[in-house]
Amino acid sequence: MDRLAAMDAFVRVVDAGSFSGAANQLRMGQSAVSKAIAQLEGRLRVRLLLRSTHGLTPTEAGRIFYECAKRSVEEADEAEFGAHAAATTLSGRLRIQATVAFGCLHVIPRLAGFLAHHPALDVDIVLDDRKIDLVEAGIDIALRAGQLSNSALTARKIAQCQRRVIGTPSYFNTAGVPRILADLVTHQVIMYEQPLGSAAWTFRQGAAEASVSANGRVRLSTTVGVREYVLAGLGLAIASEWMFAPELKAKTVKPVLTDWSLPPVEAWAIFPAGRQTSAKARTFASFIESQMLNRDRFQQQMGAEN
């Protein structure tokens, strides 16, 4: 096995936590994977993995090598994909999954441009706020926001933006504008039940840090529901700028407590684990990445329009 293939095998072993899991992904025998790792350790003259009854864990040297090896494999994949994409026409069907609000606001409006570049390609869009099983649902690429809980996923960061405390002018006219963080406890804050939702938030202002527990009577399970609740003037949301991008530009909603910051939200392209990512999925990920407004561009555009 050549050096790059051995590095790929090592990365897959660490991600899967076992030789058998990596062997299934690579469609080769478990003994061949084990032999490749042994040869890699022999070449490097260092132990990369600790084997125990609890499974496999990388050593300190293994963790360092893993990060470098993963980048090298990804760069090699990107190089092959770029050459392949340049020489082929995308065709067939691409299945994309996104949350309802993100898909409606940021995917569907941009879809015409993507389809125009790939006239032989058909697209299915599955809008669902749940983290569905991509393999079972036949999804080629999923777009998800927030921190990834599964390190074994094949993921690519495509954008980032800020979280804000957001409400409508009509709501603030009725309930008052929160001037300090402590004021939030007197407001109705919509509670989002999915993993991105939280009842406690950590705000930062320079070196200062403050935790606030939100208080709300209504819980919703979809991002569209959160939008509708806020736009109806029923309360506040602590949400990404993406979720209210049109309204922030139109000033039909306004951010408050802007002298405090919240952890940013990251958007990821997720690909099904255990199978080769298709050229169609990679091309769409690159398209969305080029189209999405990252935090700095979003804020610059907001500032230019205000």
Side-chain angles (χ1 to χ4, degrees), residues 24-78:
N24 288 335
Q25 294 180 24
L26 293 167
R27 292 182 174 84
M28 59 191 301
Q30 182 176 333
S31 60
V33 175
S34 180
K35 181 179 179 181
I37 302 305
Q39 291 175 342
L40 190 59
E41 290 178 325
R43 180 187 301 124
L44 298 173
R45 298 181 181 179
V46 66
R47 177 66 62 86
L48 298 174
L49 293 170
L50 294 176
R51 302 155 176 83
S52 70
T53 55
H54 301 292
L56 298 171
T57 56
T59 62
E60 182 177 356
R63 287 192 295 271
I64 295 171
F65 184 74
Y66 169 83
E67 296 298 333
C68 296
K70 188 171 185 178
R71 285 196 300 270
S72 297
V73 171
E74 289 175 348
E75 288 172 359
D77 287 344
E78 288 295 332

Side-chain angles (χ1 to χ4, degrees), residues 276-296:
Q276 185 71 27
T277 303
S278 68
K280 293 177 287 188
R282 286 182 178 273
T283 301
F284 184 74
S286 296
F287 172 79
I288 287 295
E289 184 175 12
S290 69
Q291 293 290 310
M292 283 299 300
L293 299 174
N294 63 26
R295 179 188 61 188
D296 294 334

Side-chain angles (χ1 to χ4, degrees), residues 131-269:
K131 291 188 176 181
I132 62 179
D133 186 309
L134 303 187
V135 175
E136 182 178 332
I139 301 297
D140 299 297
I141 178 173
L143 302 176
R144 294 178 181 169
Q147 187 172 1
L148 299 181
S149 57
N150 186 351
S151 61
L153 289 173
T154 303
R156 169 179 167 183
K157 182 179 173 181
I158 58 173
Q160 176 176 298
C161 81
Q162 287 287 0
R163 282 188 177 96
R164 300 292 187 190
V165 181
I166 293 171
T168 60
S170 63
Y171 172 77
F172 292 129
N173 289 337
T174 302
V177 177
R179 304 295 180 184
I180 59 175
L181 293 183
D183 291 344
L184 287 177
V185 300
T186 66
H187 285 264
Q188 289 299 316
V189 181
I190 182 63
M191 308 304 293
Y192 180 42
E193 287 188 337
Q194 292 296 318
L196 290 182
S198 175
W201 297 91
T202 300
F203 291 79
R204 292 182 175 83
Q205 186 183 73
E209 185 175 289
S211 181
V212 175
S213 294
N215 180 35
R217 298 173 60 193
V218 178
R219 293 181 179 272
L220 289 169
S221 60
T222 68
T223 47
V224 166
V226 173
R227 276 179 46 83
E228 293 303 315
Y229 179 94
V230 171
L231 296 178
L234 299 176
L236 299 173
I238 299 175
S240 72
E241 290 173 338
W242 289 325
M243 193 183 294
F244 291 93
E247 292 78 18
L248 284 167
K249 293 176 185 177
K251 299 183 182 179
T252 52
V253 301
K254 59 183 287 189
V256 296
L257 298 169
T258 55
D259 53 336
W260 289 87
S261 65
L262 286 153
V265 181
E266 298 173 334
W268 300 85

Side-chain angles (χ1 to χ4, degrees), residues 13 28-29 83 98 107 124 154 160 182 296-298 302:
V13 167
M28 59 191 301
V107 178
D124 292 343
T154 303
Q160 176 176 298
D296 294 334
R297 289 174 59 199
F298 185 93
M302 288 282 295

